[in-house]
Amino acid sequence: MKVSLNWIKSIVEADQCSANLVPDGVDVLVERIGAQLGAVEEVIDPGKKYNGIVVVKVVSSQKHPKADKLTVCLVDDGEVVKKVKRDNNGLIEIVCGAPNVKAGMLAAWIPPGVAVPSTIDKEPLILEVREIRSVVSNGMLASAKELELGDDHTGIIEIDKNAQPGDDFAKTYELDDFIIDIENKMFTHRPDCFGMLGIARELAGIQHMVFSSPKWYLGNKTAGRHKTDDKLLDVKNQTPSLVPRFMMQVVKNVKVNDASLDIRSYLARVGMRPINNIVDTTNYLMYETAQPIHAYDYDKVKSLSGQGGAKIIVREAKKGEKLALLAGKTVTLAGGELVIATDKQPIGLAGVMGGADTEVDEKTKNIILEVGNFDMRITRRTAMNYGLFTDAATRFTKNQSPWQTDRVLARAVDFILHQSGGLPARSIYDLKGTLNTPSPVKTTAGFVNKRLGLSLSSKAMSKLLENVEFKVQASGENLIIGVPFWRTDIKIAEDIVEEVGRLYGYQHLPIELPSRDLSPAKPDPMLSFKSQLRNIMSSAGANEVLTYSFVDEPLLRAVGQDPKDAYHIRNALSPDLQYYRLSLTPSLLEKAHPNVKARFDRFALFEIGAAHVRGVEDSEKLPAELLRLGIAIVSTSKPKEAKAPFYKAKYYVDKLLNKLSISDVEYWPLEQAKNQTKDWRVASKAFEPKRSAALYAGKDFLGVVGEPSAKLRATLKLPLDSAAAELSISAMQLLSAARVDYRPLNRFPSLDQDLCLSSSIEITYADLSEFLKNHLDKAAKEHGYSFAIEPLDIFQRPKDKSHKQTTWRISLWHPQRTLTTTEVNQLFNKIAVAARKELAAERI
């Protein structure tokens, strides 16, 4: 943001604070700006390039005797330039080729020995006394291009201010200025600071001066429509939620030519190219107020509208619409952008750039002035998509205040009348959405002081804020701060802390470390438990991965999960990450195929993360963070060699639960699962119902173990030998903490023996395990045994489709003596007899 100190002085009211804006010199001001407002990148003195240029009066203008297109002029410089040849009347002879030179006009003269301003930054061209077709010319009368005040070089500039021959040209147009270039990103949250008026207010504030905005800016200028203009213009706002305020006014019978030299000089020194009096006025006021303005050729708008006169509609773009822009670029709209349109076609990209079809040019007679307020997110996205980083887009992406549009429109009309003449239509079109005035912010002096390390009184804070036009009510320590309509960034008490700190001066804050409690922090039980889970899973050979918490809609549908159950992210990182995941299993299994392609034939992955389900809330009625442990086991075994994947996942789960001291775990067929909450019903859809199980510890639901659904496996190109598990971390933590049981180590050795039962395939593994556990419990009560059961294998011969063989490793021990092989064999024989009798199963 380039800031002109003279421009700032010109827009504030007389004797307000402009005389003291730079009380201690530019260097001190720049230092204060860097400390309290924003980083200063450069300070430019534009007046240097105009040193020696003088205002002169053309006394006579005669045709050159030897050149039809040249003129010999005699000019009066008030005899301020020394060492130059004059005639008997003290006049200076200059040969000029400009067609507009005439006697009596005031012009800018570059004397001999002075550099042409437009060449100073390249190879300076220093003028000399020259003979042109036998006539001596002392320097030159300058055009706008040579003075770097525009692109026109067909004629010399005509001084349009009340000046006298001999006046310094730079002082006449206040070019003896300083341009302070402040880094833009420092003002990202300050839309008002993208205009000279806002910067003037801040410069006063950081120097503890009282600032009052000009009367035209504080007055409300809204007016209604008039019947006399009923057929002049029809304006509609179809997106009031995205365009909270949209204002227009027609000005008839304007004359398009050059803007005043004052306006052109201010635009040029901040890097803007002057175009014509209409466009230059809108750009000038944009730099003054931070509010972009656009002008349309009324007659062109009317010709592009249907019957019934000119029509303007603010709407969202339709996919495939084409729009020719002012920059000479034609874009094909993707749809969803905000556009200004007639009832037939778009004529402008709202908030970014106007269209070429309604451009104001030298033939324009009637104009429409637009002052709007557009959604900053859509404006930013549009500017990024099309690479159009215009001055208007820069300002609209900072959340401009809709409460200043009427004031700026009134000032724009006033400026247009002075610059181009014309007659404004009586109707002012003011289309509003829901406008919320800035709410007062309540805080206390103690709240502010505690965060800044200061001891300012509420009175001192009030004074700092009132200097920049906040309305403050102070009662003891309490402060009620009325927020000005242009400060869209002030919402909460912390914003007031920042404001007071900046206005008071960060350099005045105490440089001392804040006090802190050095007692050790209490361990977070959940963090400790997660670390325990990582250690257990890693020791079991699994590798931890971290996947995005976001997934795309096709993955949700492949799982069988309804996207309506997921939270939709409106500003997603990419189209593939639009929804919060409903469970960990799909996003974890999604990483299997890339690893298989990388030729990893056997691997286990796990992830500790969170899922979110719409409608599942915590105690504060906020979306619940569902902490889960996801496990995926994948093998590229051939289909004939692939064993039941379910048991591979069960092996990892059993090992984990055993390490966590969670016992009495039961596996129920997933189809028979009871008391499942909505989040687990949604998560279970990733599993094949007939090849998966619900896991319970008593009445507590722990999660789901099994094989991925056929549709998910096909979508993710998973091998047949794939399994997964998803467990509730919160449930496991509670059970693990409640079931810690310390027992002494066995004094006597245990006896391990494998037991294999051949049974009908109709008998489930759960029934077999329950049978075995019941008989071992009975033996333990009778003889005082202790035991442990570990499943080893389930085998089915290829040609035998009616039987299977299930093998366990059983460990037996006695706390008071060593067991003998004979008594263990007797126990196993009894179990074998019972198995034959109760289950028709044979011991192998």
Side-chain angles (χ1 to χ4, degrees):
M1 176 66 188
K2 291 183 177 179
V3 177
S4 162
L5 293 185
N6 282 348
W7 194 343
I8 284 175
K9 293 176 184 178
S10 74
I11 63 174
V12 295
E13 291 182 318
D15 301 323
Q16 180 196 145
C17 65
S18 57
N20 297 319
L21 268 181
V22 195
D24 302 316
V26 174
D27 292 339
V28 174
L29 178 63
V30 168
E31 186 177 347
R32 284 180 177 169
I33 291 173
Q36 294 176 255
L37 192 56
V40 175
E41 295 185 335
E42 186 181 13
V43 179
I44 305 166
D45 180 0
K48 286 183 178 179
K49 64 176 65 176
Y50 299 101
N51 284 343
I53 299 178
V54 178
V55 174
V56 296
K57 182 177 181 180
V58 179
V59 177
S60 69
S61 173
Q62 304 293 331
K63 283 188 177 181
H64 193 292
K66 296 183 179 180
D68 292 339
K69 294 184 178 181
L70 297 180
T71 305
V72 179
C73 301
L74 292 177
V75 303
D76 176 15
D77 70 334
E79 299 190 10
V80 298
V81 178
K82 308 302 180 185
K83 298 181 180 180
V84 63
K85 188 177 179 180
R86 304 174 184 275
D87 67 6
N88 294 335
N89 297 317
L91 303 179
I92 301 163
E93 187 177 60
I94 301 171
V95 176
C96 179
N100 66 324
V101 65
K102 59 186 178 182
M105 72 180 293
L106 293 177
W109 173 46
I110 307 177
V114 176
V116 177
S118 63
T119 68
I120 285 179
D121 295 332
K122 305 168 188 176
E123 295 183 7
L125 172 62
I126 300 175
L127 298 184
E128 300 175 351
V129 177
R130 294 178 56 194
E131 274 195 16
I132 300 177
R133 298 285 182 94
S134 303
V135 177
V136 174
S137 180
N138 295 279
M140 67 185 297
L141 299 179
S143 69
K145 186 171 184 179
E146 288 146 355
L147 293 172
E148 279 201 329
L149 298 177
D151 293 335
D152 183 22
H153 61 89
T154 59
I156 61 173
I157 65 165
E158 184 170 0
I159 304 298
D160 55 7
K161 298 190 77 170
N162 185 19
Q164 299 297 322
D167 286 354
D168 185 284
F169 175 76
K171 289 184 179 179
T172 299
Y173 285 99
E174 298 181 338
L175 289 162
D176 52 337
D177 196 0
F178 285 98
I179 307 299
I180 302 174
D181 193 356
I182 306 176
E183 194 175 35
N184 267 9
K185 67 182 181 183
M186 305 302 295
F187 299 143
T188 294
H189 66 301
R190 291 291 305 276
D192 57 308
C193 283
F194 279 85
M196 298 296 170
L197 177 58
I199 295 291
R201 187 183 295 108
E202 292 305 309
L203 293 186
I206 63 177
Q207 298 180 90
H208 300 178
M209 300 176 185
V210 178
F211 185 89
S212 296
S213 291
K215 292 179 181 178
W216 64 261
Y217 190 67
L218 298 178
N220 193 315
K221 303 293 184 180
T222 301
R225 301 185 187 185
H226 295 265
K227 291 184 178 180
T228 56
D229 298 330
D230 275 351
K231 296 182 180 179
L232 190 63
L233 181 64
D234 182 18
V235 185
K236 295 179 180 178
N237 180 3
Q238 294 183 353
T239 57
S241 61
L242 301 176
V243 185
R245 197 168 190 184
F246 187 73
M247 298 189 69
M248 283 190 151
Q249 189 170 359
V250 175
V251 181
K252 305 175 184 178
N253 302 322
V254 298
K255 294 181 180 179
V256 179
N257 46 43
D258 289 333
S260 67
L261 203 53
D262 253 340
I263 286 182
R264 284 186 281 163
S265 73
Y266 279 121
L267 291 178
R269 72 187 79 171
V270 295
M272 293 203 76
R273 181 173 64 89
I275 298 173
N276 58 50
N277 54 351
I278 304 297
V279 176
D280 292 353
T281 296
T282 61
N283 286 335
Y284 178 88
L285 292 176
M286 176 182 69
Y287 258 86
E288 180 183 72
T289 65
Q291 172 66 53
I293 307 167
H294 188 67
Y296 302 85
D297 185 309
Y298 171 84
D299 297 295
K300 291 179 181 178
V301 172
K302 187 175 180 180
S303 68
L304 295 173
S305 303
Q307 295 181 350
K311 297 178 178 63
I312 294 287
I313 302 170
V314 192
R315 61 173 173 82
E316 292 187 64
K318 301 171 185 176
K319 185 176 181 180
E321 285 186 304
K322 293 187 181 297
L323 174 60
L325 298 170
L326 287 173
K329 181 178 182 180
T330 299
V331 296
T332 301
L333 302 175
E337 304 93 340
L338 287 173
V339 294
I340 312 298
T342 67
D343 55 344
K344 289 186 174 182
Q345 67 180 67
I347 57 173
L349 208 50
V352 179
M353 185 178 286
D357 293 338
T358 55
E359 179 181 7
V360 172
D361 55 30
E362 65 277 2
K363 296 180 180 180
T364 297
K365 300 298 181 184
N366 307 297
I367 64 171
I368 306 170
L369 286 176
E370 169 215 297
V371 183
N373 188 267
F374 306 103
D375 181 85
M376 65 177 182
R377 296 170 185 83
I378 290 183
T379 304
R380 180 180 294 113
R381 186 167 64 243
T382 302
M384 292 289 290
N385 287 347
Y386 300 108
L388 300 172
F389 305 105
T390 61
D391 289 295
T394 297
R395 287 159 175 79
F396 279 125
T397 56
K398 312 307 176 190
N399 194 24
Q400 290 292 331
S401 169
W403 295 103
Q404 68 178 4
T405 54
D406 55 341
R407 299 159 171 87
V408 175
L409 179 59
R411 186 160 176 82
V413 171
D414 185 54
F415 262 63
I416 291 293
L417 298 183
H418 282 87
Q419 290 291 318
S420 64
L423 177 68
R426 297 179 66 190
S427 288
I428 299 175
Y429 301 87
D430 189 0
L431 283 66
K432 300 176 185 176
T434 301
L435 299 182
N436 298 315
T437 55
S439 301
V441 177
K442 297 180 181 180
T443 187
T444 64
F447 180 89
V448 177
N449 283 327
K450 184 176 181 180
R451 282 150 183 80
L452 295 175
L454 297 174
S455 55
L456 295 176
S457 66
S458 58
K459 184 178 180 181
M461 292 181 189
S462 299
K463 177 63 176 172
L464 290 172
L465 294 170
E466 288 169 347
N467 284 345
V468 288
E469 303 184 278
F470 284 83
K471 303 295 183 183
V472 184
Q473 298 177 28
S475 176
E477 283 278 293
N478 298 318
L479 297 170
I480 301 176
I481 297 116
V483 181
F485 65 81
W486 56 83
R487 290 300 299 271
T488 58
D489 59 304
I490 302 294
K491 303 289 185 184
I492 56 177
E494 283 74 8
D495 295 329
I496 300 300
V497 174
E498 180 183 356
E499 200 70 9
V500 170
R502 183 175 54 77
L503 294 172
Y504 181 69
Y506 293 129
Q507 67 273 24
H508 298 140
L509 301 185
I511 304 175
E512 58 185 45
L513 292 174
S515 59
R516 61 174 294 182
D517 185 2
L518 295 178
S519 58
K522 293 181 179 180
D524 185 326
M526 181 55 74
L527 286 178
S528 300
F529 186 69
K530 288 180 180 179
S531 179
Q532 185 181 3
L533 293 179
R534 288 188 177 93
N535 292 334
I536 295 171
M537 295 304 300
S538 297
S539 65
N543 296 285
E544 184 176 12
V545 297
L546 292 174
T547 65
Y548 278 118
S549 296
F550 316 118
V551 294
D552 59 3
E553 184 174 341
L555 182 59
L556 292 176
R557 295 196 181 279
V559 177
Q561 295 171 341
D562 189 345
K564 293 181 180 178
D565 288 330
Y567 290 102
H568 191 189
I569 304 164
R570 301 301 177 189
N571 57 339
L573 296 172
S574 81
D576 295 334
L577 302 172
Q578 290 193 20
Y579 293 88
Y580 269 102
R581 60 184 173 188
L582 296 168
S583 60
L584 270 63
T585 302
S587 52
L588 185 59
L589 287 173
E590 196 175 28
K591 305 306 173 189
H593 184 63
N595 281 283
V596 171
K597 286 182 66 177
R599 299 186 179 181
F600 292 101
D601 55 356
R602 295 176 61 192
F603 55 88
L605 305 175
F606 76 95
E607 179 179 10
I608 295 173
H612 298 80
V613 178
R614 186 182 290 275
V616 179
E617 300 175 336
D618 60 17
S619 58
E620 297 180 358
K621 302 300 181 182
L622 297 174
E625 187 178 52
L626 308 168
L627 295 177
R628 304 279 177 79
L629 169 66
I631 305 172
I633 302 95
V634 178
S635 174
T636 57
S637 306
K638 295 179 181 179
K640 292 184 178 180
E641 299 175 356
K643 300 180 180 179
F646 167 83
Y647 293 101
K648 293 182 180 180
K650 183 178 181 299
Y651 171 80
Y652 277 92
V653 172
D654 286 343
K655 186 175 183 66
L656 171 68
L657 298 179
N658 182 53
K659 291 287 186 180
L660 295 174
S661 301
I662 300 175
S663 56
D664 301 326
V665 175
E666 295 181 352
Y667 291 84
W668 284 83
L670 190 56
E671 294 176 316
Q672 301 176 20
K674 299 177 181 180
N675 302 324
Q676 275 189 310
T677 55
K678 179 181 179 180
D679 54 313
W680 280 111
R681 289 196 300 273
V682 170
S684 297
K685 293 181 180 180
F687 294 84
E688 189 66 35
K690 294 183 178 181
R691 303 183 68 85
S692 303
L695 185 59
Y696 293 87
K699 294 183 180 180
D700 296 308
F701 187 87
L702 291 183
V704 183
V705 184
E707 300 176 21
S709 67
K711 186 177 180 181
L712 180 60
R713 191 172 66 227
T715 300
L716 300 182
K717 300 179 182 179
L718 298 174
L720 188 63
D721 201 354
S722 301
E726 187 159 339
L727 306 175
S728 169
I729 291 178
S730 301
M732 288 192 294
Q733 183 194 21
L734 292 173
L735 291 169
S736 178
R739 299 190 181 194
V740 174
D741 186 14
Y742 294 96
R743 297 180 182 179
L745 294 174
N746 293 333
R747 294 174 57 197
F748 300 95
S750 62
L751 278 176
D752 297 343
Q753 192 169 131
D754 293 350
L755 175 65
C756 179
L757 294 178
S758 176
S759 63
S760 169
I761 61 170
E762 302 297 330
I763 302 176
T764 65
Y765 172 81
D767 291 337
L768 292 170
S769 295
E770 186 69 18
F771 161 80
L772 187 57
K773 183 176 179 297
N774 289 338
H775 281 273
L776 288 172
D777 277 336
K778 183 178 179 181
K781 292 177 181 178
E782 290 180 2
H783 305 290
Y785 299 152
S786 294
F787 64 90
I789 305 174
E790 180 184 0
L792 291 183
D793 187 41
I794 298 176
F795 173 72
Q796 186 176 359
R797 297 181 184 279
K799 295 182 180 181
D800 188 355
K801 297 184 179 180
S802 60
H803 289 81
K804 62 181 178 182
Q805 295 176 8
T806 309
T807 306
W808 298 266
R809 176 159 295 160
I810 301 173
S811 299
L812 287 167
W813 66 91
H814 198 287
Q816 297 177 355
R817 60 186 177 84
T818 301
L819 296 178
T820 64
T821 304
T822 302
E823 62 181 315
V824 172
N825 287 338
Q826 289 176 352
L827 174 60
F828 273 60
N829 289 336
K830 288 181 180 180
I831 292 174
V833 171
R836 187 183 306 112
K837 182 178 180 180
E838 297 176 23
L839 303 175
E842 293 291 337
R843 180 182 180 188
I844 303 297

